């Protein structure tokens, strides 16, 4: 009795002591409210997690997470003293024979966390540990400790422990908001009518349409979808069939992949999910599992003339170098990036950017300064997250070779390879994609578009500091000639990426392609399996030649005629970048406005000389067009009304086609207007280039007739237009410092007339003598795409490091044996020194 009384007395004293200890900190301890994000799976400054050796500290006021190396910085900056230390201990469970046993045994698991390891089964044991830690003395209080802690602290700790981790919750919410499971999916009854869908040759059962076809999942009827606003796309027979039968679900035939399909519910009037889609398709002879085994994972079944239902000729295997015993590499610069689900477009782009010294220096080289001056919420700060990602890739901390025991197990159990390699860019992806309608989703995206999006963010966040994206920046010289007067105008604009056409007519195996196309059509007409696909082989010189070919400008406004006239445009380099990014235009739009990929092989050279693409400026004998802007023509009944906004001449059908893709209608109308009604594809490029602007979705606002109208320079698509000449006062300031006028003008043009950045540009781009300025480049990286569309498939990248090509395939990093340079999508060249 005395023993128990003494124990109760000691416990009561300990509880009183803890209560007194926490009293000064009680005002700083918060209970997470609805909407608060609890960062308990990843450090704000590193890729430490509860699984890391030092665990993760969660601030009990802001709920930000910090690794052991970074928690002291937060304490010093904020004075916040109370943190929750979370640790997760993970180990594999072994049986008597030494192998892992097939069952899951959880110890104390109370953290709602996703594992940072890619286990293939439930053959592991987890045990979680939580403590309250009080700084600066690191006094630790084990949790749970209900009897000894004040009630408010207990409630706050329980709420933080039970909250979903920040990005796990965000991803789930995003997915739920996008597409819901259909109410018909689980109860769908399929007719046993013997219908089997062939792999090709589809057409609507009520008309001859061969595009935009939908398979009804109840009776197997193949019918066309609705029409688009230009009259193309279908006759709406799939919807008519539902009205006649009430069969609710249909799947789009040419969008079936190994991972899923596009499903529409006529009854619910929206796109839906079907958890049983594999079984429902199997009923009609479409085997999704077989698609994956045959190497067409994420590849579309396609009726487009440029594709067949068979997989491309070993594209997936060749690009990933499958079947070869690739040697894994570890350490600084060889860290993989885990795929978050369709995020490889981001991973490959960032791997290439952080292989460039200027990006390394700007972010990793300034890491401590960036971290010390980061805002109170570093998770949303661009520079902080760029520095974090760069350090994660270059430090080698997250790319260590396995221990000898792990190597033995990897031989025994191949599937456990790479389970702890690489970094998971959840925080980075959330930051760079915030507010973007495409990159914020869980869908696959175009690496080319993401590259331009990231460059835009770098530009915006580099005020007053080094701008590493300047290494991609160059001036394009555009020459437009009026076909009637033969007069010319020269304009310059900034660009970051060179888009090269892929002229199919220049294929070196043209006869083979023609023969294949004839066989494919014959097989389609006779409902037979298609022949083996043939890939077009195009010389790189033909791509360069196509780039230099004159381009017709049918609605060119000639200032000499003061009227619209036919024009011809050519483009050259007015200046050359330090790093040249070349995109092969492999994608075109199908009738359903889904980008589809041409099957191409291009003999991309290791070394590139662009001397013949150098701009010349106004030549002797050429006469310039007058520098006048097009007038705004007012209808007769509006003349004299000073503030009347003119109704613009807009191709509304083109605007509606773009709106069908999900863009705001007003933005689509502006895109069509500012690209001179030159078609939806040109307008689409304008949308991609301007969608980050604050007034992107605002209605088109034209100046009154008393104000100047839009000039030619305002019609830029993917590049930023520049005036012909920087302000003289800016030129004078820089020339007064001793810089040559020509170099000064070039610097101002390259930096949008920003004096501070122009000065930095001058120092980082020393003037070269004309004879020394040879634009020669060496290939050092390329990004490849596998699949039929930018909306599906996968990306990997190859980067040349220390004289060897290395393949970065998500978290797996290996020495490359056969870099597939001919199948790349985006190529990166570095300029060779003339010394």
């Amino acid at each position: 009795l005395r023993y128990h009384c003494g124990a109760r007395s000691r416990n009561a004293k300990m509880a009183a002591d803890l209560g007194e200890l926490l009293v000064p900190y009680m005002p700083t301890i918060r209970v997470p409210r609805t909407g608060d994000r609890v960062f308990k799976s990843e450090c704000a400054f590193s890729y430490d997690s509860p699984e890391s050796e030092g665990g993760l500290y969660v601030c009990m006021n802001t709920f930000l997470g910090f690794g052991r190396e970074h928690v002291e910085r937060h304490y010093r900056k904020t004075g916040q003293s109370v943190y929750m230390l979370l640790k997760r201990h993970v180990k594999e469970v072994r049986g008597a024979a030494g192998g892992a046993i097939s069952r899951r045994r959880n110890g104390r698991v109370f953290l709602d966390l996703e594992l940072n390891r890619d286990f293939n089964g439930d053959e592991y044991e987890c045990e979680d540990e939580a403590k309250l830690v009080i700084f600066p003395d690191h006094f630790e209080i084990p949790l749970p400790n209900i009897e000894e802690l004040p009630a408010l602290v207990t409630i706050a700790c329980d709420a933080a422990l039970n909250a979903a981790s920040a990005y796990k919750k965000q991803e789930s919410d995003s997915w739920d908001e996008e597409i819901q499971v259909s109410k018909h999916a689980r109860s769908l009854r399929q007719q046993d009518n013997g219908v089997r869908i062939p792999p090709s040759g589809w057409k609507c059962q009520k008309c001859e349409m061969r595009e935009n076809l939908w398979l009804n999942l109840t009776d197997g009827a193949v019918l066309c979808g609705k029409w688009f606003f230009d009259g193309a796309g279908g006759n709406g027979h799939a919807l008519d069939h539902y009205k006649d039968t009430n069969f609710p679900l249909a799947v789009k035939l040419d969008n079936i992949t190994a991972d899923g399909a596009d499903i529409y519910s006529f009854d619910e009037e929206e796109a839906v999910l079907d958890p049983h889609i594999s079984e429902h398709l199997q009923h009609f002879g479409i085997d999704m599992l077989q698609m994956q085994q045959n190497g067409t994972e994420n590849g579309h079944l396609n009726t487009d003339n440029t594709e067949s239902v068979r997989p491309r000729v070993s594209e997936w295997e060749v690009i990933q170098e499958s079947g070869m015993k690739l040697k894994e590499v570890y350490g600084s610069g060889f860290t993989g990036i885990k795929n978050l689900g369709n995020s490889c477009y981001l991973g490959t782009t960032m791997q290439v950017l952080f292989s460039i010294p200027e990006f390394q220096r700007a972010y990793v080289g300034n890491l401590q300064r960036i971290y010390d001056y980061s805002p109170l919420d570093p998770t949303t700060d661009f520079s902080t997250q760029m520095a974090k990602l760069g350090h994660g890739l270059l430090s080698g901390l997250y790319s260590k070779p396995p221990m000898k025991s792990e190597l033995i197990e990897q031989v025994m159990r191949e599937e456990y390879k790479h389970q702890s390699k690489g970094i998971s860019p959840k925080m980075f992806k959330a930051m760079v994609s915030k507010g973007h309608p495409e990159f914020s989703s869980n869908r696959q995206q175009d690496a080319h578009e993401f590259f331009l999006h990231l460059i835009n963010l770098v530009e915006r966040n580099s005020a007053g500091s080094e701008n590493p994206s300047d290494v991609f920046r160059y001036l394009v010289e555009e020459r437009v000639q009026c076909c009637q007067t033969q007069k010319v105008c020269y304009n310059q604009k900034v660009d970051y990426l060179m888009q090269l056409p892929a002229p199919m007519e220049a294929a070196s195996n043209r006869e083979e392609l023609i023969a294949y196309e004839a066989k494919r059509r014959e097989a389609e007409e006779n409902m037979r399996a298609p022949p083996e696909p043939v890939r077009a082989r195009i010389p790189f010189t033909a791509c360069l030649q196509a780039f230099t070919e004159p381009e017709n400008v049918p609605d060119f406004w000639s200032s000499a005629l003061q009227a619209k006239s036919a024009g011809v445009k050519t483009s050259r380099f007015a200046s050359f970048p330090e790093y040249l990014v070349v995109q092969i235009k492999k994608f075109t739009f199908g009738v359903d406005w889904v980008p589809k990929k041409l099957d191409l092989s291009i003999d991309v050279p290791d070394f590139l000389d662009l001397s013949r693409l150098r701009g010349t400026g106004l030549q002797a004998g050429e006469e310039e067009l007058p520098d006048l802007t097009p007038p705004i023509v007012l209808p007769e009944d509006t003349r004299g009304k000073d503030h009347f906004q003119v109704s613009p001449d807009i191709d509304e059908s083109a605007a509606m086609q773009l709106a069908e893709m999900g863009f705001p209608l007003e933005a689509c109308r502006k895109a069509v207007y500012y690209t001179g009604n030159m078609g939806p594809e040109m307008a689409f490029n304008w949308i991609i280039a301007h969608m980050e602007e604050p007034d992107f979705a605002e209605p088109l606002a034209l100046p009154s007739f008393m104000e100047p109208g839009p000039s030619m320079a305002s019609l830029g698509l993917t590049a930023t237009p520049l005036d012909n000449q920087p302000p003289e006062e800016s030129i004078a300031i820089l020339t007064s410092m001793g810089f040559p006028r020509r170099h000064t003008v070039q610097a101002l043009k390259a930096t949008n007339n920003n004096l501070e950045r122009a000065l930095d540009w001058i120092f980082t781009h020393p003037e070269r003598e004309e004879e020394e300025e040879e634009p020669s480049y060496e290939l050092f990286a390329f990004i490849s795409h596998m699949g039929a569309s930018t909306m599906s498939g996968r990306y990997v990248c190859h980067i040349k490091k220390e004289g060897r090509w290395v393949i970065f395939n998500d978290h797996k990093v290996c020495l490359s044996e056969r870099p597939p340079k001919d199948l790349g999508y985006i190529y990166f060249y570095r300029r060779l020194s003339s010394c």
Side-chain angles (χ1 to χ4, degrees):
L1 182 61
R2 285 196 302 271
Y3 171 80
H4 288 297
C5 290
R8 283 199 297 270
S9 176
R10 285 193 299 275
N11 289 340
K13 184 178 185 302
M14 184 178 296
D17 291 344
L18 287 178
E20 292 177 6
L21 178 67
L22 288 169
V23 165
Y25 310 109
M26 294 292 283
T28 68
I29 298 175
R30 288 200 307 116
V31 178
R33 297 188 295 268
T34 302
D36 280 339
R37 294 187 298 168
V38 181
F39 294 86
K40 58 183 184 178
S41 62
E42 182 181 339
C43 171
F45 294 104
S46 72
Y47 290 93
D48 287 347
S49 72
E51 293 178 44
S52 302
E53 183 177 353
L56 189 74
Y57 292 80
V58 178
C59 171
M60 291 304 294
N61 183 268
T62 64
F63 308 112
L64 294 169
F66 304 96
R68 181 67 188 88
E69 182 183 353
H70 301 284
V71 66
E72 294 277 1
R73 176 187 292 106
H74 187 257
Y75 161 70
R76 292 193 302 269
K77 181 179 289 188
T78 65
Q80 173 64 23
S81 297
V82 182
Y83 297 81
M84 184 186 296
L85 174 60
L86 305 177
K87 288 188 178 183
R88 167 162 284 181
H89 307 281
V90 181
K91 62 180 179 179
E92 296 173 38
V93 180
R94 299 184 175 276
I101 61 177
S102 299
R103 60 192 180 94
R104 175 174 177 168
R105 300 188 314 188
N106 287 331
R108 295 191 311 142
V109 179
F110 49 78
L111 299 182
D112 181 19
L113 297 177
E114 61 277 23
L115 280 170
N116 286 330
R117 307 185 181 207
D118 301 323
F119 288 99
N120 292 332
D122 294 332
E123 301 156 347
Y124 53 91
E125 183 178 78
C126 299
E127 183 160 342
D128 295 338
E129 176 185 4
K131 301 175 182 177
L132 275 185
V133 180
I134 302 176
F135 280 70
D137 298 326
H138 293 268
F139 185 85
E140 296 182 355
I141 305 172
L143 296 174
N145 205 335
I146 299 175
E147 294 182 356
E148 302 175 3
L149 294 177
L152 175 64
V153 178
T154 299
I155 294 171
C157 292
D158 287 345
L161 288 171
N162 292 322
S165 59
Y167 297 114
K168 183 177 181 181
K169 181 176 187 300
Q170 184 184 66
E171 289 166 6
S172 174
D173 290 348
S174 173
W175 179 257
D176 291 342
E177 290 172 4
E178 287 178 7
I179 304 179
Q180 301 288 341
V181 173
S182 170
K183 64 182 181 182
H184 301 288
R186 291 179 174 82
S187 59
L188 186 71
R189 293 186 178 182
Q190 295 182 282
Q191 294 181 358
D192 191 11
N193 53 12
V195 172
R196 292 294 181 269
I197 305 300
S200 64
W202 311 312
K203 63 181 179 180
C204 176
Q205 295 174 3
K206 293 187 179 180
C207 66
E208 294 299 315
M209 289 295 300
R210 292 183 178 271
E211 295 88 18
N212 193 21
L213 298 176
W214 293 78
L215 168 68
N216 191 287
L217 289 176
T218 299
D219 63 356
V222 176
L223 299 158
C224 60
K226 69 178 181 177
W227 57 89
F228 296 121
F229 286 88
D230 63 351
N235 297 311
H237 288 139
L239 178 59
D240 293 341
H241 186 66
Y242 161 70
K243 292 177 180 177
D244 294 338
T245 63
N246 286 325
F247 297 156
L249 298 182
V251 61
K252 198 169 190 296
L253 272 177
D254 63 352
N255 276 17
I256 299 173
T257 76
D259 290 334
D262 291 347
I263 306 162
Y264 188 80
S265 172
F266 296 105
D267 178 43
E268 296 158 286
E269 297 184 343
E270 63 180 352
V272 295
L273 296 176
D274 178 2
H276 306 289
I277 185 60
S278 180
E279 300 169 25
H280 290 157
L281 289 173
Q282 182 70 50
H283 182 82
F284 298 112
I286 302 175
D287 192 339
M288 295 175 68
L289 179 60
Q290 190 66 30
M291 291 167 63
Q292 187 163 5
Q293 292 173 346
N294 287 343
T296 57
E297 180 182 2
N298 288 322
H300 286 233
L301 290 172
N302 205 309
T303 59
D304 186 80
N305 288 338
T306 61
E307 307 217 353
S308 74
V309 295
R310 297 173 65 88
R312 298 175 186 276
V313 187
S314 304
E315 181 185 61
W316 288 72
E317 288 79 6
V318 172
I319 289 177
Q320 296 184 100
E321 304 188 53
S322 301
M324 299 183 184
K325 293 183 179 180
L326 302 180
K327 180 182 178 181
E328 293 189 58
V329 284
Y330 305 91
S332 174
F334 300 108
T335 303
I337 297 180
K338 295 180 181 179
N339 196 328
L340 305 179
N342 294 323
S343 68
C344 48
Y345 66 91
L346 177 149
T348 52
T349 303
M350 300 314 299
Q351 289 283 12
V352 174
L353 290 184
F354 275 110
S355 72
I356 295 174
E358 285 78 2
F359 275 80
Q360 297 173 359
R361 182 173 65 247
Y363 296 107
V364 184
N366 290 315
L367 184 111
Q368 289 303 323
R369 181 184 63 81
I370 292 172
Y371 282 4
D372 287 342
Y373 289 96
S374 64
L376 291 179
D377 184 2
T379 67
T380 60
D381 181 61
F382 181 80
S383 295
T384 300
Q385 294 309 311
M386 283 287 284
K388 170 184 169 179
L389 181 69
H391 180 262
L393 294 176
L394 300 175
S395 65
L397 294 174
Y398 307 98
S399 177
K400 297 180 180 179
M403 305 292 289
K404 185 178 292 185
S405 60
E406 292 176 325
L407 285 172
I408 296 173
E409 175 154 355
Q410 285 185 9
V411 174
M412 296 173 60
R413 306 190 62 204
E414 185 74 15
E415 66 270 19
Y416 266 68
K417 246 180 173 180
H418 322 300
Q419 62 187 16
S420 60
K421 272 188 60 180
I423 59 177
S424 180
K426 293 179 182 178
M427 192 175 292
F428 179 80
K429 182 179 185 297
M431 183 272 302
V432 297
S433 63
K434 185 178 181 181
H436 194 286
E438 291 298 327
F439 300 130
S440 60
S441 73
N442 292 324
R443 299 185 296 272
Q444 184 62 275
Q445 304 297 331
D446 189 348
H448 150 245
E449 294 176 6
F450 180 75
F451 170 78
L452 293 178
H453 171 67
L454 192 83
I455 293 301
N456 187 21
L457 291 177
V458 172
E459 290 273 355
R460 281 200 234 161
N461 290 275
S462 295
S465 60
E466 179 184 2
N467 180 3
S469 68
D470 278 345
V471 298
F472 301 119
R473 197 180 182 101
Y474 63 95
L475 293 177
V476 177
E477 176 189 276
E478 285 190 343
R479 175 187 184 274
V480 184
Q481 183 173 32
C482 173
C483 292
Q484 290 190 42
T485 66
Q486 301 302 308
K487 295 182 179 181
V488 299
C489 66
Y490 284 85
N491 294 292
Q492 288 187 347
K493 64 180 182 180
V494 170
D495 212 339
Y496 297 88
L497 179 143
M498 179 186 188
Q499 289 186 302
L500 280 186
M504 296 292 288
E505 66 277 6
S508 59
N509 59 338
R510 190 175 179 185
E511 292 183 1
E512 188 181 1
L513 289 169
I514 293 173
Y516 160 72
E517 182 62 19
K519 292 178 182 179
R520 189 194 66 79
R521 289 182 181 276
E522 181 184 358
E524 183 179 285
E525 292 172 0
N526 294 295
M527 302 289 285
R528 293 200 307 265
E532 188 70 21
V534 176
R535 176 172 290 129
R537 297 192 297 272
I538 300 177
F540 187 78
T541 52
C543 299
L544 284 179
Q545 181 63 35
F547 176 80
T548 61
E549 289 294 323
E551 176 187 347
N552 291 326
V553 186
D555 290 328
F556 170 65
W557 188 84
S558 171
S559 58
L561 299 172
Q562 292 287 296
K564 286 186 177 181
S565 168
V568 176
K569 182 177 73 173
T570 55
S571 298
R572 294 290 191 274
F573 284 86
S575 67
F576 294 94
E578 292 303 307
Y579 290 84
L580 177 68
V581 186
V582 178
Q583 178 212 2
I584 304 297
K585 297 174 71 173
K586 287 189 172 186
F587 293 93
T588 184
F589 285 102
V591 294
D592 56 359
W593 283 94
V594 173
K596 298 179 185 296
K597 189 167 76 176
L598 303 174
D599 196 0
L600 306 172
S601 170
I602 299 178
D603 60 337
V604 175
D606 286 322
F607 295 93
L608 186 60
D609 184 357
L610 298 181
S611 298
R612 70 188 189 93
L613 298 184
R614 190 195 306 272
T616 59
L618 188 68
Q619 296 294 291
E622 290 183 335
E623 186 177 353
E624 278 192 286
L625 286 161
D627 187 14
L628 300 174
T629 57
I632 295 181
V633 180
L634 298 179
E636 288 297 326
D637 60 349
T638 64
R639 296 189 183 278
K641 298 180 181 179
D642 292 352
H643 302 289
F644 183 81
Q645 293 284 316
V646 181
S647 178
D649 181 17
I650 293 177
D651 182 353
E652 295 292 347
S653 65
M656 294 306 294
Q657 287 181 41
L658 293 168
E660 280 281 292
M661 300 172 68
F663 298 114
L665 177 59
E666 291 298 336
C668 299
R669 297 183 78 248
K670 285 198 292 188
V672 172
Y673 171 74
Y674 283 119
T675 54
N677 290 319
M678 294 178 66
E681 186 169 356
M682 297 290 282
F684 177 81
N685 290 333
W686 187 96
I687 286 175
I688 296 302
H690 293 80
M691 64 194 315
E692 296 296 323
E693 295 175 359
D695 61 345
F696 173 68
E698 296 295 322
L700 175 62
L702 295 178
S704 67
F705 77 94
M706 297 297 292
E707 298 169 348
S711 65
M712 287 181 58
S714 68
L715 305 181
L717 299 179
T718 60
T720 305
L722 293 177
D723 294 330
N724 286 333
Q725 190 72 6
E728 279 298 327
E729 56 270 23
S730 298
I731 298 174
I733 292 172
L734 292 176
T735 54
S736 67
M737 299 179 184
F739 302 114
R741 179 182 175 86
R742 186 174 66 84
H743 202 201
T744 294
V745 171
Q746 190 178 16
L748 287 167
K749 286 183 176 181
T751 56
N752 284 332
N753 299 326
N754 183 302
L755 267 175
E756 185 177 2
R757 287 182 51 207
L759 190 60
D760 289 338
W761 191 95
I762 289 173
F763 285 117
T764 55
H765 297 75
E767 187 179 29
R768 307 182 185 196
E769 297 294 332
E770 279 300 317
E771 60 273 16
E772 292 182 345
E773 198 173 347
E774 292 300 327
S776 298
Y777 292 88
E778 180 182 11
L779 181 69
F780 75 93
F782 61 95
I783 295 173
S784 305
H785 174 269
M786 300 165 286
S789 164
T790 53
M791 300 297 106
S792 65
R794 291 194 60 228
Y795 290 95
V796 301
C797 68
H798 287 71
I799 305 175
K800 200 170 187 179
K801 291 175 176 276
E802 302 171 3
R804 283 290 307 265
W805 283 100
V806 179
I807 178 173
F808 292 79
N809 190 351
D810 291 338
H811 59 275
K812 185 178 179 180
V813 183
C814 301
L815 292 177
S816 171
E817 294 295 332
R818 295 180 185 173
K821 289 179 283 187
D822 61 318
L823 297 181
Y825 175 45
I826 306 175
Y827 296 87
F828 295 80
Y829 285 86
R830 74 164 54 87
R831 190 167 183 170
L832 295 173
S833 172
S834 58
C835 298

